Every structure is written in structure tokens, then in C-alpha cells.
Amino acid sequence: SLLAVAVLVLSLLWWMSTRRPPGLPPGPGPALPLLGHLHLLDKDFRSTFRKWRRQYGDVFSLYMGGRLVVVLNGYQTIKEALVKNGDVFSERPSIFVMDRIVNNKGVAGSSGAVWKEQRKASLEILREMGLGKNVLAEKVQEEVTHYIKALHSYQGQQVDVSQMTHISISNNICSIVFGQRFEYDDSFFNTLLESVDLNMKTVGGSVVLNFMPWLEYLPGDLFKFKRTLANVDFVENNLIHPVLKEHIDNHTEGNASDFIHAYIREIRKREESGQPTTVNTENLLKIIGDLFVAGTETTATAIRWALVFFLHNPDVQDKCYDEIQRVVGTERAPSMRDKPELTYLEATIMEVLRRGNIAPLAVQHGLSRDVTFHGYTIPKEAIVLPFLETALLDPEAWDEPSAFRPERFIGPDGKLKKPDELIPFGVGRRVCLGESLARVELFLYLATMIQHFRFLPPEDGRLPSLEGVLGVTYSAKPFTVRAVSRK
Ligand code: HEM
């Protein structure tokens, strides 16, 4: 009975410690010891969040395990936090798994001065590659021809394009980062893809540790965290590091032919000036990982969503096709120069990004200090989730938000219009670093795909689901499609 009393007292202490103190944003009732409100969340916890938003308003809070999480809803609220209060809301939170893997290096998971310097350096390099001759677009355009060839090889038979899309989009990152693309059966390339993929899978299981870090001390590797760490190590040391070394050994002054060379140039520049800096090979190594992780699944998911919407809306496909016929014809590949004239295609891409809702909760934000927001006090330790979906599918902003309708982006003058609520890449200082690359990719892939093919459902006419699954991204469920040559 002494044990029972002890358990009761401890539980009570836990309960007190996870009870929402006064001043915090409202949210669901008392948190359970250890679990917080995790037990109340649906498997797809967006539905629970939507319910709580209706109940508690645009800023609500909950406990995931012992961690306080604040969810921001609606475009105005998200903008007010991430833009107007961008000096406070632009960090990444300290989270067990990320702390161990990222260790405040690179760009996607770092904070403070490190993040500022890495973000600026990476963005400048990507911008440089996207300007003038547009090396970035040239590399993507080359990869698109291989992707189209792969689609043609199925000769109009039904196929699940997930794998080949993933491979092709990763190859763009290879071209940009390493300066070379790989054949789809190249062994280095496939090991790299498999390892990154394995990481995405195992790290998913480790997420539990973010909210209950003490579980780390259980024997074995129940949450596959040790496996994840070993795999990250393998990717960095056995795959990326050799390429990095080869670049360093062969770097000639001013060479900026790919991301790694351009970054090495920046390292050398800073070495010469003798200024203290975080621009070094350790951070470069992490950034390379960031670009693969953040830049592959997202864009590949967008292309798969585009196909889902094409199958449901053959008229949209045909309108895009007619426009491409008129502007580009069949004799040459579409290029970035065509973009200003392909208005309907552009509107279609915007609608794919909106309705596809690829990153419904963006990436977790952290705070640089305690902050008063909407009259509430949010402590520095909170994890902040910008619920982008509430802007992308806001019924106040969009007529029939779940309908796929590119026309909503075309004004009465025939010109494109971009409503504020279209924020698939987030907003503020942390806005997606790869937005311009993603836009180049989506434009060149979709324009060329439509130029070559009419996309049809499989013979049995079965259409893919319009409901996706929430994982690292919100992605379309597996489906097959027939890419029938327009010729
Ligand atoms: C961050 C969306 C493609 C690199 C983000 C964020 C979103 C996003 C919502 C989080 C913003 C925030 O923290 O509030 C997307 C979508 C894409 C896409 C929808 C494709 C359709 C790419 C590509 C790259 C990339 C191609 C690679 C070049 C990054 C990086 C970050 C990021 C490095 C972290 C930025 C930082 O922490 O400062 N992206 N992204 N993304 N994205 Fe993307």
C-alpha cells in the first residue's frame, strides 16, 4: 500500500507539472501523467487539431508527453507570429531526436547565429545558381528528359510512379549538390537513396522519444533510435564525406559549378578574412543532408498529387496541354522562358500546392524567448506548430476549398493572382529554402509531362483517393496511372 501511495503522489506531481498553468493558450483539459494529451490525438492528428481550433480558437495549446505544444491556426495568426514576431518565432525547438542528430548544424534544424549564417550562405549559393544562365534549371531540364523516357518505357501500361519520381527528384539534388546526376541503376546512388529512405522510416519511430526522452534508457532499440543514429553516421561518413573530400581536393579558386564547390569557395573566402565563422565542412555536411531530406519527398509528393488531380480532372489536363501546344509546340522541350506565357499551367501548379497541402504543419518552430502572443504567455521551451493547412483550405479564403480549380488563381483580366493565404512553403524567415528550386522543378516536370502524355486511370477506371496519408509529408495514397503518349 506504501507503493500505491507513492505511485499516487508521483502521479499527482506529474499531473500538477503538466497542468496548463494560467496564462497559457487554452486547450484540452488536464494532461495525463507521461502522456500529456497524446492519447486524445487521432492517428491523423489534424482532425483533432481542427476540432480543438473550433473549441479553443486560433491559438491553442496541448501537451505531447511532457512537452508544451502551441498550434497556430489561420493565415493571419500564422503571419502575425512568423512574420510580425519573426525575431522570436524563427528558431527550431530543442527536441531530443533532432538535438542528437542535428546538433545545431546545417540549416533546417539549426537555430540562432549558426542558422542565420548557414541560411544566408546556402540561399545565396542557390540564388547564384538560379540566376543568369540558370544552372539550376538546366540541370533539372536534363533530368526531366530521363524521367520522361522512363515514363515512355511503360508504353501506356499502368504504373505506380512513386519510385521513379522519388529517384528522379533526388537526382536533381545530386546534380545541384554534387555536380552530377546518376543513372537510375547506379549503385552509389541507390545506396544513398535507400539510406535516406531508411532514415525517414526509422526516425518516424523515434519521434516518441521527443516527448518521452526517458524511454531511451530502456534496453534494446525499441524506437530504432540507435539504428537511425548509426544510419546517419553511415550516410555522412561513407557516402557524402568521400564526395566532399573529392571536391575539396579538386577545388580550384572561384569554382562554383555545384553547391559543394560554391560552399567551399565561401569557406576559403572566410579563411582568408580570418573572421570567426560557422561556414565550415561540418555544417556543409549537414546542409547536404538537409537538401536531400527537405528537397526530395516534398517535390516528389507534389508531382504525385498533380497526377491524382489530373486523373480526377481530365479537363484541366487538356487545358494545360492546349496551352503548351500553343506556346511551346511539340518540337522542343518547355523551358523557363515559357513560364510567363503558360498562365493556366502556373495556376494549376498553384492549385496543386494549395489542395495538395504537402506540409500541413510546416516544420516545428521554437522561440528565442518567452513571448506574449494574443494575450497569452508562451514560454521559450514551447514547440510551435504553424498549421498551414488552415490557411490553404480556409473556407473564408477559398470558395469550396476542397475542390480542385486552377481558375481560382486567374483574374478577370486573364492574369495570375496570388492570394495571401497560399502559403505552402510557410512564411517568414524560415520560409522554405528550396522554394525557387521546387517551383522550377514543378514547372519543368509538369510542363514536359503534359506535353508528352495524357494521364489516364488504370483500365478498370479506378480513380486515386483524394484523401492522403500524413507522414513526413501529407501524400497521396498509392495509385497507378497510365501515361499514354499524345503522339
Ligand atoms: C523548409 C515546404 C521543397 C529545402 C520548408 C518548410 C515548408 C516547406 C513548409 C518549413 C517552413 C517553416 O519552418 O515554417 C516545401 C514544399 C516543397 C519544398 C511544399 C515542394 C513542393 C523544397 C526543396 C528544397 C527544400 C526542393 C531543397 C532545395 C528546405 C529547407 C528548409 C525547408 C532547407 C528549412 C529552412 C530553414 O529551416 O531555414 N519547406 N519545401 N524544400 N525546405 Fe522546403
Side-chain angles (χ1 to χ4, degrees):
S1 66
L2 204 63
L3 189 71
V5 172
V7 167
L8 202 71
V9 169
L10 277 176
S11 305
L12 199 67
L13 282 176
W14 256 102
W15 181 73
M16 305 274 283
S17 70
T18 53
R19 218 167 39 133
R20 192 175 288 101
L24 281 187
L32 284 185
L34 309 184
L35 282 179
H37 299 103
L38 285 174
H39 63 294
L40 298 178
L41 294 178
D42 257 20
K43 187 157 173 276
D44 180 345
F45 49 85
R46 295 173 309 149
S47 62
T48 317
F49 282 3
R50 285 186 213 117
K51 190 180 79 189
W52 286 344
R53 182 204 187 175
R54 285 194 297 275
Q55 241 172 309
Y56 304 112
D58 285 347
V59 185
F60 67 80
S61 70
L62 66 147
Y63 283 93
M64 293 174 100
R67 274 308 277 275
L68 175 69
V69 175
V70 173
V71 182
L72 306 174
N73 296 271
Y75 171 71
Q76 287 304 336
T77 303
I78 293 172
K79 188 177 106 173
E80 198 181 330
L82 306 192
V83 179
K84 195 164 159 234
N85 293 292
D87 55 331
V88 186
F89 278 87
S90 300
E91 306 290 8
R92 293 291 179 219
S94 163
I95 297 178
F96 180 84
V97 172
M98 292 310 277
D99 288 358
R100 293 289 188 87
I101 296 176
V102 175
N103 192 20
N104 206 27
K105 300 238 159 36
V107 60
S110 63
S111 288
V114 175
W115 168 71
K116 280 208 181 96
E117 200 183 14
Q118 297 311 316
R119 169 125 187 153
K120 185 157 180 283
S122 323
L123 208 53
E124 278 172 8
I125 292 171
L126 288 175
R127 232 176 241 150
E128 184 184 342
M129 293 176 83
L131 288 176
K133 227 168 119 256
N134 204 343
V135 182
L136 218 103
E138 276 178 17
K139 289 175 189 284
V140 174
Q141 212 169 3
E142 191 200 336
E143 180 56 41
V144 171
T145 61
H146 294 275
Y147 183 70
I148 297 290
K149 231 184 263 167
L151 280 176
H152 269 303
S153 75
Y154 287 89
Q155 300 185 318
Q157 296 299 306
Q158 68 182 65
V159 55
D160 179 341
V161 298
S162 306
Q163 178 75 1
M164 76 170 102
T165 308
H166 191 83
I167 291 178
S168 179
I169 299 294
S170 301
N171 231 352
N172 290 324
I173 306 287
C174 287
S175 292
I176 289 159
V177 173
F178 300 146
Q180 79 176 102
R181 71 171 293 279
F182 297 93
E183 290 308 318
Y184 290 173
D185 59 1
D186 182 275
S187 69
F188 166 84
F189 184 46
N190 278 288
T191 315
L192 182 70
L193 288 179
E194 279 160 23
S195 311
V196 173
D197 195 45
L198 178 69
N199 250 357
M200 296 291 238
K201 285 193 186 120
T202 56
V203 89
S206 312
V207 166
V208 170
L209 293 170
N210 286 333
F211 307 111
M212 295 177 247
W214 46 270
L215 289 173
E216 190 200 4
Y217 299 107
L218 292 183
D221 192 23
L222 195 58
F223 302 98
K224 301 202 173 132
F225 187 52
K226 288 175 190 136
R227 173 107 190 259
T228 304
L229 283 182
N231 194 43
V232 170
D233 231 47
F234 171 78
V235 173
E236 290 185 352
N237 294 328
N238 296 39
L239 298 176
I240 301 182
H241 198 262
V243 185
L244 202 59
K245 179 154 186 328
E246 185 263 329
H247 273 73
I248 293 172
D249 292 345
N250 297 320
H251 185 76
T252 48
E253 198 184 326
N255 182 355
S257 56
D258 59 41
F259 190 94
I260 297 183
H261 273 304
Y263 195 99
I264 294 171
R265 180 195 62 191
E266 295 306 309
I267 297 178
R268 301 271 157 96
K269 257 194 218 161
R270 283 162 178 78
E271 275 169 1
E272 274 166 30
S273 75
Q275 300 258 324
T277 177
T278 62
V279 174
N280 53 36
T281 45
E282 267 188 308
N283 275 301
L284 173 54
L285 198 68
K286 284 290 181 207
I287 293 178
I288 295 170
D290 289 344
L291 296 178
F292 273 100
V293 170
T296 303
E297 175 145 343
T298 42
T299 310
T301 297
I303 289 177
R304 287 181 66 241
W305 271 126
L307 286 172
V308 169
F309 299 133
F310 287 167
L311 295 185
H312 279 267
N313 304 274
D315 55 317
V316 170
Q317 248 187 103
D318 288 342
K319 276 189 202 161
C320 288
Y321 179 74
D322 291 344
E323 190 181 60
I324 291 167
Q325 280 298 299
R326 185 168 51 74
V327 175
V328 184
T330 48
E331 296 307 306
R332 64 175 181 87
S335 83
M336 292 311 288
R337 280 191 312 279
D338 300 315
K339 197 168 152 163
E341 286 181 80
L342 296 175
T343 313
Y344 191 78
L345 175 66
E346 270 298 277
T348 303
I349 292 172
M350 287 157 90
E351 184 67 339
V352 168
L353 288 168
R354 185 192 71 82
R355 177 61 179 77
N357 184 24
I358 294 149
L361 289 147
V363 175
Q364 313 91 325
H365 281 241
L367 301 170
S368 58
R369 57 172 169 79
D370 297 352
V371 63
T372 306
F373 186 71
H374 277 221
Y376 307 118
T377 312
I378 308 177
K380 182 173 186 261
E381 299 70 38
I383 296 172
V384 177
L385 297 180
F387 197 2
L388 301 184
E389 175 184 298
T390 56
L392 298 177
L393 299 176
D394 180 357
E396 304 269 308
W398 314 98
D399 187 31
E400 283 189 75
S402 62
F404 185 84
R405 200 183 291 152
E407 287 75 10
R408 62 172 96 241
F409 294 109
I410 299 175
D413 56 358
K415 294 213 171 77
L416 275 180
K417 52 174 188 182
K418 184 191 167 300
D420 288 342
E421 290 81 1
L422 185 68
I423 50 169
F425 298 97
V427 280
R429 301 177 191 190
R430 281 276 179 177
V431 69
C432 175
L433 183 85
E435 176 172 351
S436 54
L437 171 60
R439 288 187 185 283
V440 167
E441 288 178 313
L442 291 178
F443 177 79
L444 290 175
Y445 274 74
L446 295 176
T448 320
M449 286 160 72
I450 289 170
Q451 184 190 37
H452 281 256
F453 304 105
R454 171 182 280 125
F455 294 98
L456 296 174
E459 300 275 357
D460 64 9
R462 198 167 7 106
L463 286 171
S465 169
L466 289 167
E467 281 294 315
V469 272
L470 185 63
V472 183
T473 58
Y474 179 64
S475 63
K477 291 180 183 154
F479 65 96
T480 58
V481 54
R482 288 181 293 155
V484 179
S485 176
R486 289 268 187 183
K487 285 222 178 96

